[in-house]
Amino acid sequence: MAIRLEPGQRLVVATHNPGKARELAEILEGRFELVSAGELGLAEPDETEATFTGNALLKARAAAEASGLTALADDSGLSVAALGGQPGVYSARWAGPGKDFTLAMGKVETRLEEAGAEDFAAWFTCALAVAWPDGPAVVVEGRIDGTLVFPPRGTKGFGYDQIFQPQRFSETFGELEPAVKDAMSHRAVAFAKLKAALG
Ligand code: IMP
């Protein structure tokens, strides 16, 4: 099978996170018939890899195998320079079982205080993987750099958006309009690369 996506083709999106599903749907602009892993009742595999690309591939392969459809998966997170790249692939896990991002953002702030950090540089990474049920897979990675701000600002977005201020902006992702974020985010960068990789 050719390593390319045909317009209108059915694609299973291997995310159970409604915030990310909404962003992926907006970025894909109705080019594909999207069905979510949740809608198909697919199990969510454990994210056992140490890298964003490893986890994205793992999720895409699992969804492709279970559904028999081409699958798109992402793995993303926030990395903080002064914390050696943490929370990184553990970004979702820092929010605990209750998926409480007020807690997770507080944890980032506490860790920075404990480290006596003066450098608040951080970046979001998004790895996107497409896997075909018969084996091949493609993975790419996008990144956006910025600075962390405390206290959190804004009411939009999800996850760590309210403490992340992208370079050259004075607003956080929690304050910017979703369309502005979607045009420059780590996910947008990764999608541009994926498009290029798939021709
Ligand atoms: P995973 O990709 O499902 O492992 O989860 C990644 C986690 O990283 C999400 O639950 C969010 O907390 C965080 N994250 C990823 N992308 C964004 C973003 O665009 N804004 C805010 N937080 C994000």
Side-chain angles (χ1 to χ4, degrees):
M1 178 182 279
I3 308 271
R4 55 177 305 181
L5 295 175
E6 303 296 339
Q9 101 171 60
R10 207 152 179 245
L11 206 58
V12 50
V13 179
T15 179
H16 292 252
N17 175 327
K20 287 199 300 192
R22 181 196 60 78
E23 286 197 0
L24 291 174
E26 273 172 25
I27 293 169
L28 291 170
E29 291 164 346
R31 269 175 282 173
F32 305 103
E33 190 192 327
L34 300 182
V35 50
S36 79
E39 280 171 79
L40 294 179
L42 305 183
E44 231 175 327
D46 288 336
E47 298 178 16
T48 50
E49 297 289 331
T51 61
F52 294 110
T53 51
N55 280 328
L57 274 171
L58 177 151
K59 288 189 266 188
R61 287 209 171 104
E65 224 164 273
S67 66
L69 296 169
T70 305
L72 170 71
D74 94 318
D75 195 57
S76 54
L78 177 74
S79 300
V80 182
L83 301 181
Q86 288 190 84
V89 294
Y90 297 101
S91 293
R93 281 165 268 188
W94 275 31
K99 304 196 173 168
D100 180 351
F101 282 95
T102 304
L103 177 89
M105 291 186 282
K107 198 164 161 180
V108 172
E109 185 176 17
T110 305
R111 293 284 176 91
L112 283 168
E113 278 166 10
E114 285 168 358
E118 288 175 7
D119 173 15
F120 280 29
W123 62 95
F124 277 119
T125 303
C126 172
L128 285 175
V130 175
W132 283 261
D134 56 352
V138 172
V139 66
V140 294
E141 204 171 73
R143 167 174 167 161
I144 181 163
D145 284 89
T147 305
L148 298 182
V149 299
F150 299 98
R153 297 199 319 248
T155 54
K156 303 182 180 77
F158 67 97
Y160 297 88
D161 275 343
Q162 293 164 9
I163 57 169
F164 184 82
Q165 186 174 300
Q167 275 177 0
R168 292 181 290 280
F169 282 80
S170 53
E171 300 96 339
T172 67
F173 269 174
E175 294 171 312
L176 288 168
E177 287 304 321
V180 176
K181 176 189 171 187
D182 291 349
M184 65 163 144
S185 76
H186 44 311
R187 243 175 297 286
V189 175
F191 264 106
K193 287 191 183 175
L194 188 66
K195 234 175 133 186
L198 295 172

